[in-house]
Amino acid sequence: MTSPAGRPTGARANQRALQEAIKHLIVERGLAAGAPLPTESELSAELGVSRHPLREAMKALQALGIVDIRHGYGTYVGSVPLSGLEAGLAFRGALSVRGDRADIRDLLEIREVLESGLVDRVLAARDQIDLGALEEHVSAMEREAGHGRYAPERDWAFHETLYRPLGNQLVLELLQVFWRVFNTLDEQLPRADGTPEATAGWHRRILEALRAADEPALRAAVVEHFAGIRSRVRGQPGS
């Protein structure tokens, strides 16, 4: 049901208001992830609602990762994972790959802007980055490429090793979401015979530029990496 102005009314609006009230309570009390929430009875009394709508609101917030319901123990503040974002982007990507691929191009642009913007921070953290682990991941990608195979687990491990020392967990989680979405679409994008070799080569050049602490070369390698992915999205894997 909606009002004449188009605003939701009735049970749906009440549920949304209740969920917002619970989130407001968490924020106002400064409860961190893992902190226990008041009991169901206490919340019912404080928010002025019966147990049934409260339980429905909690289920909805649990689906978002905002609360964590542990049966037999209580309800706690959740860690709010990005799984919901990932599922939504993966679904949009699956639709886009069968259409004009606009959403995929947009997502790639966001990822490129984010990773290109991290070049200076990566160089500043160079001493904390495990170059040996990066070499191991690239070498494994090259070996697999020699057999015409792509090594996705090594691809992500390379990026995780590169960005984890920056100390920004949210950036790392966002990059992982973007990477996973593209990985799920990988088989549906055009692929040339040399795609695994090209992918390994992009990562090799990023590593060598980082080893040399060469900022222009590192930026160029990151740009090349995304240009290669973009060519596949455009349907030109050999470009």
Side-chain angles (χ1 to χ4, degrees):
M1 176 184 292
T2 59
S3 69
R7 294 186 298 272
T9 60
R12 181 181 296 179
N14 290 339
Q15 261 298 309
R16 290 180 180 175
L18 180 53
Q19 291 167 30
E20 289 301 318
I22 295 168
K23 289 190 287 184
H24 181 75
L25 180 148
I26 292 171
V27 172
E28 286 300 305
R29 296 190 180 182
L31 301 179
L37 286 171
T39 66
E40 186 178 80
S41 297
E42 291 169 339
L43 283 174
S44 292
E46 182 166 348
L47 299 175
V49 295
S50 63
R51 292 190 175 188
H52 177 69
L54 178 60
R55 288 173 180 171
E56 290 300 310
M58 286 297 190
K59 288 179 182 178
L61 294 176
Q62 183 181 37
L64 298 173
I66 293 174
V67 303
D68 179 16
I69 301 173
R70 305 176 193 173
H71 297 289
Y73 295 94
T75 302
Y76 300 79
V77 179
S79 58
V80 196
L82 298 180
S83 53
L85 173 63
E86 181 178 339
L89 290 175
F91 181 70
R92 290 185 64 164
L95 294 176
S96 183
V97 80
R98 295 176 179 272
D100 61 7
R101 299 181 183 169
D103 281 345
I104 301 176
R105 291 194 297 272
D106 291 346
L107 182 58
L108 179 61
E109 182 178 11
I110 294 171
R111 181 183 166 190
E112 181 176 6
V113 167
L114 183 55
E115 294 200 44
S116 296
L118 291 173
V119 167
D120 288 339
R121 292 199 57 198
V122 166
L123 286 171
R126 180 175 173 276
D127 291 344
Q128 286 77 52
I129 297 173
D130 190 340
L131 298 180
L134 292 179
E135 175 62 43
E136 179 182 339
H137 299 319
V138 173
S139 295
M141 293 176 71
E142 290 170 338
R143 287 194 299 272
E144 289 298 301
H147 298 286
R149 297 190 297 261
Y150 168 54
E153 69 287 346
R154 293 291 190 168
D155 189 325
W156 168 246
F158 178 93
H159 291 276
E160 183 178 26
T161 302
L162 188 64
Y163 296 117
R164 185 171 292 282
L166 302 187
N168 190 321
Q169 184 61 28
L170 183 56
V171 163
L172 193 64
E173 290 180 15
L174 281 171
L175 288 174
Q176 186 173 37
V177 165
F178 297 155
W179 185 90
R180 283 177 173 170
V181 170
F182 275 96
N183 191 50
T184 62
L185 301 173
D186 185 71
E187 293 298 326
Q188 301 178 63
L189 294 174
R191 181 191 295 272
D193 291 340
T195 296
E197 288 85 352
T199 302
W202 302 333
H203 292 79
R204 169 60 68 187
R205 285 183 280 281
I206 289 173
L207 172 56
E208 294 307 324
L210 181 60
R211 274 198 175 119
D214 188 333
E215 187 264 349
L218 182 56
R219 288 192 182 279
V222 171
V223 168
E224 180 189 20
H225 173 260
F226 283 101
I229 301 175
R230 191 178 298 107
S231 70
R232 293 187 63 203
V233 173
R234 291 173 177 168
Q236 304 167 320
S239 61

